[in-house]
Amino acid sequence: MTLAGCGVRPTPVLTGAEAPTISSHELTVYLLTPKHDDLVRRTRTYSGTVDTATAINLLVAGPTEEEKKLGLSTEVPSTSSRVYAVSNLIVLPEDLGPLSKMAQLQLYCTAIASRAKVEGVPQPGFSCP
């Protein structure tokens, strides 16, 4: 194979800016088994800055399509309002209303797993699945 040029002169190497990077993290949320009698741990990938409130917001958004196909669900009511973390306190929106025992466990275990993973805080004595 022969290549021919048409008078285009070579140019020096052109440098550009640094390549963009995306910060990707794995966060844990706790959903309910198909029988709604136990919690199941699910890992989700999230791009961007994360904290404990990020994991709770993922839980509040509900199961993904894949999780729904597996029969997993949640008792945490969905809301368009955001969850915020203030120091060691998670502030839930008022429109979540009263929470069932399983919803409370889902929120607690998700927050504990996230704090352990993201902030390096060890989990307390209560064990989540």
Side-chain angles (χ1 to χ4, degrees):
M1 174 186 278
T2 305
L3 294 176
C6 58
V8 177
R9 297 180 186 204
T11 60
V13 174
L14 301 174
T15 59
E18 292 290 321
T21 58
I22 296 176
S23 176
S24 180
H25 302 277
E26 288 187 344
L27 294 172
T28 299
V29 296
Y30 281 85
L31 298 173
L32 297 176
T33 59
K35 292 183 180 180
H36 291 244
D37 60 350
D38 204 4
L39 298 179
V40 62
R41 181 183 186 115
R42 296 291 298 174
T43 302
R44 294 185 184 172
T45 302
Y46 184 83
S47 298
T49 305
V50 296
D51 60 7
T52 302
T54 305
I56 300 294
N57 281 313
L58 288 175
L59 175 64
V60 170
T64 63
E65 290 303 315
E66 178 188 342
E67 292 163 344
K68 288 177 187 176
K69 288 178 185 174
L70 295 171
L72 303 178
S73 63
T74 182
E75 285 191 10
V76 176
S78 64
T79 177
S80 59
S81 302
R82 302 286 295 163
V83 172
Y84 296 96
V86 179
S87 188
N88 289 332
L89 181 68
I90 300 294
V91 180
L92 299 175
E94 289 183 24
D95 61 349
L96 280 183
L99 299 171
S100 69
K101 180 181 178 182
M102 290 306 276
Q104 291 175 32
L105 283 172
Q106 285 182 263
L107 288 164
Y108 175 80
C109 289
T110 299
I112 294 301
S114 173
R115 256 187 109 205
K117 177 84 172 173
V118 175
E119 300 173 28
V121 176
Q123 293 185 1
F126 182 81
S127 63
C128 296

